[in-house]
Amino acid sequence: MNKPFKESDVTPEQVFFCSRRKLLKLLGISSAALSLPVTANAGIADWFGGSSSEPPLASPPRPIDFTSPAMWQAKLTLTPEQKVTGYNNFYEFGMDKADPAANARQFKTSPWNITIDGEVEHPMTLDMDDIFKKFPMEQRIYRMRCVEAWSMVVPWIGFSLASLLKMAAPTSNARYVAFQTLYDPQQMPGQQDGLNSAGLQYPYVEGLRLDEAMNPLTLMTTGVYGKTLPPQNGAPLRLIVPWKYGFKGIKSIVKISLTREQPPSTWNLMAPDEYGFYANVNPHVDHPRWSQATERFIGPGGLFDVTRQPTLMFNGYGEQVASMYKGMDLRRYF
Ligand SMILES: Nc1nc2c(c(=O)[nH]1)N[C@H]1C(S)=C(S)[C@@H](COP(=O)(O)O)O[C@H]1N2
Ligand SMILES: [Mo]
């Protein structure tokens, strides 16, 4: 059976080119100009920098206070900020990689409440001021691997989900953690066309086993590149689970529930044979439609700086996470 849409494996080159055409069209530049040769080193800011006709950001990123603990400052080549904030998956704002940055400009992320409920001793609702007061922020440089086989290295800012969960005090019944994105079709046009926009059901939901959620690597993320998240990266609060495929990193979270049963996850609901609940990065378990043995790293060079490199087991975080999956058949629990 044909699924309506899937995470496609188009290359960043194709996506950027398509976006450039759109941008030029927007700016009213003639199609003749499009046939002019493109300077290889054209700054990405020129392509995504936007025009004066764009609406101002409703919630512009602002600087955050954070520390940079040595253990999280991996010596890796960073993907530049303009690519991290210009090449996104956030289907609530459109399906092309440049759509979220263009369509989320008026997304209002303040005020924002997040509720923690379910199997906890202390259910609570916090706003973002509470979050910044209660949890010291840390910069953490993590590899990021999308199931589509592209990757980045990103300096996120956030705090361990474990500290938030400890505050809520999971009961002895809690075995999983369920997450939910905001549902607001007014603000999120991708949620408007019925139940199954892009083949996905909204609100976007995700889940982790409790031990995965408590792992120190699992980051509640409030910022990137020294500032609060821009809307396209999941402002004001999103999840980053660096040893799993990017789709586990649910954006713009409004609710976290501790549960007894394994919670649903959006991509798994859409195509259970293609996107598992675990979604651990694994070079030996291919996606049914493409290999996961290698990935395209989106690097700092020019617009088309993409390096093919081997995929790392657990995205390079095996030392910290492999023990959680001891004895599990990772082909079955993909
Ligand atoms: N709510 C929501 N969260 C989401 C998505 C989405 O479409 N909606 N896309 C996921 C996917 S497939 C990836 S790869 C990452 C991308 O995060 P980034 O745009 O900050 O790099 O967000 C994930 N979180
Ligand atoms: Mo993804």
Side-chain angles (χ1 to χ4, degrees):
M1 198 184 110
N2 251 345
K3 310 263 164 33
F5 288 104
K6 300 168 174 82
E7 280 206 285
S8 59
D9 62 346
V10 294
T11 64
E13 296 88 328
Q14 286 170 303
V15 168
F16 280 123
F17 185 68
C18 159
S19 305
R20 176 176 171 268
R21 290 183 70 102
K22 275 189 197 161
L23 188 61
L24 291 173
K25 209 172 146 199
L26 218 91
L27 295 172
I29 293 168
S30 75
S31 58
L34 285 174
S35 62
L36 290 172
V38 179
T39 321
N41 286 325
I44 188 156
D46 297 342
W47 306 56
F48 283 107
S51 72
S52 52
S53 63
E54 277 178 352
L57 287 161
S59 309
R62 52 172 183 80
I64 307 182
D65 287 328
F66 61 89
T67 60
S68 300
M71 68 175 297
W72 303 118
Q73 310 311 304
K75 301 250 176 316
L76 298 167
T77 300
L78 297 182
T79 301
E81 182 175 2
Q82 296 96 322
K83 294 183 186 179
V84 173
T85 61
Y87 184 87
N88 300 99
N89 277 332
F90 200 168
Y91 276 29
E92 287 87 334
F93 292 103
M95 291 174 51
D96 285 347
K97 294 292 187 279
D99 284 347
N103 298 336
R105 297 184 63 82
Q106 289 185 304
F107 184 38
K108 268 202 76 188
T109 57
S110 171
W112 191 273
N113 287 323
I114 174 161
T115 298
I116 299 108
D117 66 8
E119 291 289 349
V120 290
E121 306 284 356
H122 311 300
M124 58 180 88
T125 295
L126 304 174
D127 65 20
M128 289 309 292
D129 283 344
D130 298 326
I131 296 276
F132 279 102
K133 270 186 218 133
K134 288 180 198 294
F135 304 102
M137 298 296 156
E138 296 178 349
Q139 173 171 275
R140 299 190 183 186
I141 296 172
Y142 280 166
R143 293 183 201 85
M144 152 111 177
R145 173 62 156 80
C146 176
V147 73
E148 297 166 323
W150 53 265
S151 70
M152 296 184 178
V153 171
V154 184
W156 300 112
I157 295 167
F159 58 99
S160 282
L161 174 60
S163 50
L164 176 59
L165 295 181
K166 280 177 197 152
M167 191 172 285
T171 70
S172 57
N173 291 322
R175 292 174 60 225
Y176 293 91
V177 185
F179 303 85
Q180 205 178 100
T181 294
L182 177 72
Y183 182 70
D184 185 352
Q186 288 271 15
Q187 290 206 79
M188 295 174 148
Q191 294 178 334
Q192 276 168 21
D193 34 348
L195 249 191
N196 282 297
S197 170
L200 297 185
Q201 299 175 34
Y202 295 109
Y204 195 102
V205 290
E206 258 304 339
L208 294 172
R209 233 169 45 190
L210 185 57
D211 60 333
E212 298 177 318
M214 296 298 282
N215 188 286
L217 279 171
T218 304
L219 194 70
M220 288 304 284
T221 305
T222 55
V224 67
Y225 268 104
K227 301 180 288 288
T228 53
L229 291 168
Q232 61 268 29
N233 290 92
L237 193 61
R238 60 92 57 90
L239 184 68
I240 291 291
V241 195
W243 71 94
K244 292 178 180 286
Y245 291 121
F247 67 83
K248 298 296 287 183
I250 180 171
K251 293 178 167 179
S252 304
I253 299 169
V254 292
K255 193 163 134 85
I256 298 179
S257 304
L258 285 281
T259 65
R260 296 166 189 243
E261 308 296 333
Q262 181 176 302
S265 61
T266 290
W267 281 97
N268 179 255
L269 288 172
M270 200 276 275
D273 48 329
E274 301 193 9
Y275 309 101
F277 173 78
Y278 282 91
N280 292 319
V281 175
N282 189 336
H284 312 299
V285 178
D286 286 338
H287 185 279
R289 292 181 289 115
W290 59 85
S291 166
Q292 294 291 25
T294 63
E295 62 193 29
R296 301 181 302 273
F297 173 66
I298 301 178
L303 190 56
F304 303 132
D305 174 18
V306 174
T307 309
R308 179 69 70 169
Q309 61 188 31
T311 301
L312 301 175
M313 186 66 206
F314 296 119
N315 209 22
Y317 300 99
E319 216 173 287
Q320 295 98 313
V321 305
S323 63
M324 292 192 290
Y325 309 104
K326 244 176 107 183
M328 268 177 74
D329 178 355
L330 297 180
R331 282 182 187 283
R332 176 158 178 222
Y333 298 101
F334 62 95

